[in-house]
Amino acid sequence: MTHTPDMSERDGAAGADAPLLCLEDVSVAPSDAADPVLSRVSLEVRAGECIALVGASGAGKTTLLRTIGTLLPVRAGRLTVAGQEPSALSEADLRALRTRIGLITQSHDLVDSLRVDKNVMAGALGRWTNVHALRFLLWSKDEELAEARAALEAVGIADKLMNRTSALSGGERQRVSIARALIQAPALLLADEPVASLDPETAEDVLALLTSLARARGMALITSLHQPELAERFCDRIVEVAGGTVTERPRLVTAGQSA
Amino acid sequence: MSETLTLLASFFPPDLKPSYLAALVPAFLETLGLVFGAMTLATLFSLPLALAVSMRIRGAGLLIHGLSVFRAVPDLTLAILCVIAFGLGPGAGLVALVLYYTAAMSKVFADLLETAPRGPVEALAATGASRLQVALYGLLPLTRADLFNYGAFAFECALRSSVIVGAVGGGGIGTELVGSLAGFDFQRATTQILMLVLLIAALDRLADWARNHPRALVGLIPFGLMAAWWCRPEFFALGHAFHVLGDMLPPSLPTDALQDLPRLVLETLWMAVAGTLGAAIIGLIAGLGASRRVSPAWLVFLTRRILELLRTIPEVVWGLVIVAVAGIGPVAGAWALGLHTFGTFGRLFADTLDHVPEAPGRAIASTGASRLMVGLYAVLPQSLKPVATHFLFRLEWNLRMATVLGLIGAGGIGQALYEAQQLFFYRQVMAYILVTAVLILAFDRLSRSLRARLNRTGGAAVSTGCLPSPAAAL
């Protein structure tokens, strides 16, 4: 990476001991009339922690991640990310907060008609001006391409920098979406079923990559997973989502920390 | 019958003498410059406007709504008003086309931007990107193919509109064509129609090339602006324009005209619905034939050339020919609309079929299904939504065209408008313009709510249901 924007400075702002993410009795509902999908959820995550969310399909894992990602409003309770409450922020401040949260989804959510380098550098949009963003679409500078290449190198596909996005395989697409999140240099990385659409071997590779990157760069990682054995192997804490709320599950083996 | 054949035969052979062809060149250049300049301006106005709407910038939606007034006024009427204000010549045509296509394209572009898949858009918003950045890196590239298709289609329409604009003294090839038809110089009219067909075919090739080189379009902007400057209005008789406008107010209709109004409105509606529906049914079949994915190359080539020929000839020209051959009345109008619309639908449906995601089709083909089965089970179901959208848009368009066709004897409210205009009954003219505008705006609204329902039902299957949209979360 050519530069990781003021990570230490940002974490300092939140206070050394304060948790990076804090949910207190949070409820989330799709609309005012509907029943809440999540009710009275409480969870604390500190910088550098690696957490697996497990639970059946439809239990609310995605809703929880989208809420933490500030994409869904909190109905009741309090959500703070890096000491800030998203619902209390102006649009500009909310954008600034979002640059610190990386989001990786199962469907990768890449823009097929843009080349790989553009998709990767989309992670920098939060710190770019609109003019910068427009200029990069028309012509790119060497240092920007170097930054994109470094991020792709971290996920092992530096050679795909100038490829067409639509020509990538599923595993490659997932790596590009991870690279996009790395460009953000987030304090908190959210991954929604990052390996659900991949074959077991690729899934393990991607998950190993994700957790090792998070540890190496001091990012907290929250990932939802369908495979309990992967959760055991790669994560520090396992949180079960069921019945609209979350419970911390004791780990069967102690591992991960040393990985 | 023999009279009809004799009349048809009088269109052939076309006048292909080199001296005549050379004499047509300036008129064609004027038309090309007019359309190129007008469409450059219209694109430069409408795309930012549509983006502003998709970015939920306050006021932008209202502006597009306000512009829809210009879509509600038939282009011929708009051109007449512009000729009054700007005098004869390409300047009036330029203003009429810019107004009309800014209104039309900003609306369609805004609607197309709304169809961008939510996932990538939300992923961009989640990185902290601004609304403009989400538009630049998400909405625009995600809908690029559709935006481009519509833009190229609008350019073609503008070329044909310029014929209509020329018909009222807006300059270019249209003025020549109407002169030839009015002077029973049918062989030269055929020459002009053939040259129009060739020009549009050439532009079609150019659009295919530009689709893969989108950045080249940015390089065309200075040339477009130069063309617009070349066609700029030379004078602006504001006093005269206001004087004529004053003569039109207040709009009024005599009692007998008022009693006849429902019949006129129904006749116009019938013309539009019959022409569009008939064209849609055969257009779907022709669309399969013209789809590069569904049909073999020879069939694609043949179908596309036939469709090209049908849609290159403007409704008004079809109308003039059919009215000359089969007599006046709404049936002639419906045929004129139907023939042209068939050419348009066939092409739009084929383009839609060629742009739907390939994966489901491959999955079905892997079961041993034939090309036709893949078309019916994978390609067609995926394209129903865009096809229905095209249909509704075209119906709106044809309702407006139905009033324009009235001017050349196809009946309905347009004919009443034309007759009032010929007799300088300006207050009646204004009354008919207002009735037309209300009719078109009302239909526009109906079509809009239908399309919104279409989007809702189509979107529920892929999105997470009733969760708030990413734009609302911004």
Side-chain angles (χ1 to χ4, degrees), chain A residues 66 91 95 113 128 130 133 138, chain B residues 122 128 130-131 133 141 215:
Chain A
R66 283 162 54 89
E91 189 179 319
R95 282 183 54 202
S113 40
W128 281 356
N130 288 334
L138 297 174
Chain B
E122 200 173 87
S130 70
R131 297 181 197 204
Q133 289 167 341
R215 267 189 265 196

Side-chain angles (χ1 to χ4, degrees), chain B residues 206-472:
Chain B
L206 198 68
D208 273 344
W209 175 83
R211 181 171 289 125
N212 299 318
H213 303 80
R215 267 189 265 196
L217 292 175
V218 179
L220 285 179
I221 292 174
F223 296 102
L225 291 177
M226 268 162 58
W229 178 251
W230 178 53
C231 295
R232 72 191 183 280
E234 278 168 22
F235 94 117
F236 182 54
L238 196 63
H240 178 66
F242 272 119
H243 184 73
V244 175
L245 200 67
D247 282 348
M248 293 182 173
L249 298 173
S252 70
L253 284 178
T255 327
D256 56 331
L258 211 55
Q259 281 168 346
D260 206 26
L261 197 59
R263 183 186 65 83
L264 294 175
V265 169
L266 279 180
E267 224 169 68
T268 300
L269 274 174
W270 180 85
M271 219 190 299
V273 172
T276 314
L277 206 59
I281 292 166
I282 39 175
L284 264 180
I285 300 165
L288 284 173
S291 161
R292 296 192 172 97
R293 271 196 204 160
V294 180
S295 297
W298 65 267
L299 186 60
V300 172
F301 181 83
L302 195 71
T303 319
R304 288 205 171 225
R305 293 301 86 74
I306 294 172
L307 292 172
E308 223 160 66
L309 190 74
L310 286 172
R311 74 169 182 280
T312 308
I313 301 175
E315 299 93 329
V316 173
V317 177
W318 276 124
L320 286 167
V321 173
I322 293 171
V323 165
V325 173
I328 60 170
V331 177
W335 269 98
L337 285 180
L339 281 174
H340 174 84
T341 307
F342 168 51
T344 310
F345 272 160
R347 159 74 187 282
L348 276 177
F349 292 168
D351 280 352
T352 305
L353 295 178
D354 284 345
H355 285 102
V356 298
E358 284 180 55
R362 276 201 299 268
I364 290 191
S366 74
T367 65
S370 70
R371 285 176 90 116
L372 183 67
M373 294 179 205
V374 172
L376 288 175
Y377 279 82
V379 185
L380 204 58
Q382 290 191 89
S383 43
L384 276 184
K385 210 166 90 178
V387 161
T389 307
H390 285 313
F391 176 80
L392 287 169
F393 273 127
R394 201 65 205 183
L395 195 54
E396 285 177 43
W397 172 289
N398 278 348
L399 184 60
R400 207 172 34 244
M401 282 319 295
T403 69
V404 170
L405 284 174
L407 307 191
I408 55 156
I413 197 157
Q415 191 161 352
L417 190 151
Y418 182 67
E419 281 159 9
Q421 194 174 37
Q422 291 294 295
L423 298 170
F424 300 103
F425 291 157
Y426 279 149
R427 287 182 177 189
Q428 287 191 37
V429 169
M430 195 43 134
Y432 284 129
I433 288 179
L434 285 179
V435 171
T436 308
V438 167
L439 183 68
I440 288 170
L441 285 178
F443 195 81
D444 196 275
R445 181 153 282 218
L446 176 74
S447 152
R448 194 183 177 81
S449 74
L450 282 176
R451 276 183 284 114
R453 185 171 301 176
L454 213 62
N455 275 340
R456 269 204 301 280
T457 51
V462 282
S463 81
T464 39
C466 44
L467 295 171
S469 79

Side-chain angles (χ1 to χ4, degrees), chain A:
Chain A
M1 307 283 311
T2 46
H3 76 293
T4 37
D6 48 11
M7 273 271 289
S8 52
E9 197 183 297
R10 290 158 155 196
D11 290 340
D17 297 331
L20 178 65
L21 169 72
C22 185
L23 288 91
E24 296 168 64
D25 291 332
V26 165
S27 297
V28 181
S31 70
D32 283 343
D35 289 333
V37 176
L38 298 173
S39 59
R40 304 182 68 83
V41 170
S42 294
L43 184 68
E44 267 191 21
V45 177
R46 287 172 190 281
E49 278 190 308
C50 181
I51 292 169
L53 295 180
V54 295
S57 295
K61 300 190 295 291
T62 299
T63 303
L64 180 57
L65 286 170
R66 283 162 54 89
T67 307
I68 297 170
T70 76
L71 294 170
L72 289 179
V74 170
R75 270 278 293 284
R78 211 168 106 99
L79 164 73
T80 52
V81 185
Q84 290 180 295
E85 234 181 302
S87 59
L89 297 177
S90 67
E91 189 179 319
D93 289 338
L94 183 62
R95 282 183 54 202
L97 180 62
R98 282 178 175 176
T99 64
R100 310 193 52 194
I101 309 168
L103 178 65
I104 299 161
T105 60
Q106 178 186 349
S107 48
H108 325 311
D109 289 340
L110 303 177
V111 178
D112 274 351
S113 40
L114 291 179
R115 234 171 30 201
V116 169
D117 58 325
K118 303 284 186 296
N119 268 297
V120 171
M121 288 314 285
L125 290 175
R127 61 180 142 98
W128 281 356
T129 61
N130 288 334
V131 176
H132 190 161
L134 181 61
R135 198 264 298 146
F136 183 69
L137 277 184
L138 297 174
W139 74 92
S140 39
K141 291 184 179 168
D142 287 345
E143 63 260 34
E144 289 160 342
L145 289 182
E147 189 181 350
R149 184 176 286 114
L152 284 174
E153 212 165 331
V155 295
I157 51 167
D159 56 319
K160 304 287 182 190
L161 181 68
M162 290 299 179
N163 281 34
R164 279 173 48 209
T165 303
S166 52
L168 299 178
S169 71
E172 287 166 346
R173 294 173 70 84
Q174 191 57 290
R175 284 165 197 265
V176 170
S177 78
I178 295 172
R180 176 171 66 187
L182 290 180
I183 290 291
Q184 283 178 254
L188 175 61
L189 193 55
L190 307 173
D192 189 10
E193 303 282 5
V195 299
S197 61
L198 306 177
D199 65 86
E201 210 170 307
T202 316
E204 217 176 297
D205 290 348
V206 167
L207 201 59
L209 174 74
L210 204 54
T211 48
S212 66
L213 280 171
R215 291 205 170 90
R217 298 177 186 214
M219 300 182 281
L221 171 70
I222 307 178
T223 176
S224 55
L225 285 173
H226 263 311
Q227 306 90 328
E229 70 283 0
L230 290 181
E232 288 282 351
R233 269 176 55 202
F234 288 105
C235 298
D236 310 324
R237 289 166 61 191
I238 298 174
V239 172
E240 184 161 10
V241 185
T245 191
V246 303
T247 38
E248 185 106 17
R249 214 166 77 179
R251 291 172 51 85
L252 302 175
V253 286
T254 45
Q257 216 82 29
S258 56

Side-chain angles (χ1 to χ4, degrees), chain B residues 28 31 34-35 76 97 156-178 181 192-193 196 200 312-317 320:
Chain B
F28 264 91
T31 296
L34 170 68
V35 174
L76 193 55
L97 286 180
E156 254 186 62
C157 292
L159 193 61
R160 281 177 286 99
S161 283
S162 75
V163 177
I164 304 173
V165 169
V168 294
I173 189 70
T175 309
E176 296 281 330
L177 185 59
V178 170
L181 284 169
Q192 292 153 0
I193 292 172
L196 250 180
I200 290 183
T312 308
I313 301 175
E315 299 93 329
V316 173
V317 177
L320 286 167

